Amino acid sequence: MLEIAKELTTCPFEKLHPSQLNRDDEFFMKLAYNLAIDAWNADEVPVGTVIVHGEEVIASARNETRIANDPTAHAEIIAITKAASAIGDWRLNECRLYVTKEPCPMCSGAVIMSRIGEVHYAAPDPKMGCLGGATDLNALPFSNHKAKVSSGLLSQESLVLLQAYFQVKRQNPKKNPSAKREIEED
């Protein structure tokens, strides 16, 4: 595990520089990863999301629960709202969502309700992930929508980023009054 200084407030990881010449799944996941770094730098849990329609990014977001003081301000929820606005329809069937951590129950539900066509997540979440980790909302038998789901792209990088962030929080709980709650939820 990466040793992180107790006083570290900015993300120690470098942003990735994907080539515009190859706009494949890895390209879009790298953009999401860079948003996760932005989240860390804003003292948010480092999760980033990008939504693509065709080959164009139509929405992107990072976690903003602390900044907005809103438990629903997850990267996926914010990006889904932006994507619906961008295309002028709440049905996102033709869209692909890239996120650095497997979506939680709320975000997995939003994926299904917005009818996103594909979800690509990096790091699995066996405790709270709901697209195959802890459970699979995508497999509900009577659901009228099922997204195509894949995982693993930039998994190790995203997992190390998340683990390092929470390691910093654990090492310095006095500067983070909510750290005890978050660590218990981690």
Side-chain angles (χ1 to χ4, degrees):
M1 178 76 153
L2 180 67
E3 278 300 315
I4 305 291
K6 290 183 181 186
E7 297 298 317
L8 188 62
T9 57
T10 58
C11 184
F13 298 93
E14 296 284 326
K15 285 191 172 185
L16 303 174
H17 302 286
S19 169
Q20 293 283 339
L21 299 175
N22 193 15
R23 295 170 69 89
D24 58 4
D25 292 336
E26 185 174 350
F27 171 84
F28 295 114
M29 188 63 78
K30 285 179 178 180
L31 296 179
Y33 179 84
N34 289 343
L35 288 164
I37 290 173
D38 291 343
W40 177 319
N41 289 331
D43 196 25
E44 297 279 356
V45 174
V47 175
T49 301
V50 171
I51 297 181
V52 177
H53 185 263
E55 295 307 311
E56 296 302 316
V57 173
I58 61 167
S60 62
R62 61 173 173 75
N63 275 359
E64 294 184 11
T65 56
R66 287 193 177 122
I67 291 169
N69 200 24
D70 178 356
T72 68
H74 288 199
E76 300 96 307
I77 300 293
I78 296 167
I80 288 170
T81 300
K82 289 179 178 180
S85 180
I87 66 169
D89 194 349
W90 62 269
R91 294 173 199 88
L92 303 175
N93 303 66
E94 303 299 319
C95 295
R96 300 187 316 272
L97 182 145
Y98 296 85
V99 62
T100 56
K101 185 181 86 53
E102 182 181 358
C104 72
M106 175 181 65
C107 296
S108 297
V111 162
I112 293 164
M113 297 307 292
S114 64
R115 293 172 171 73
I116 288 180
E118 294 181 24
V119 176
H120 303 269
Y121 66 84
D125 184 353
K127 290 172 79 174
M128 288 298 289
C130 286
L131 289 178
T135 192
D136 190 357
L137 292 183
N138 201 39
L140 291 171
F142 300 111
S143 175
N144 63 349
H145 178 74
K146 301 211 184 309
K148 179 181 171 190
V149 177
S150 68
S151 64
L153 194 57
L154 293 183
S155 177
Q156 189 60 34
E157 295 88 340
S158 296
L159 184 60
V160 168
L161 180 68
L162 283 160
Q163 289 173 337
Y165 175 82
F166 284 109
Q167 181 183 6
V168 168
K169 295 297 179 190
R170 286 182 188 101
Q171 289 177 350
N172 206 353
K174 288 184 181 175
K175 286 192 176 181
N176 293 298
S178 62
K180 186 174 189 283
R181 283 192 314 269
E182 288 179 0
I183 292 164
E184 290 167 357
E185 293 167 3
D186 176 29

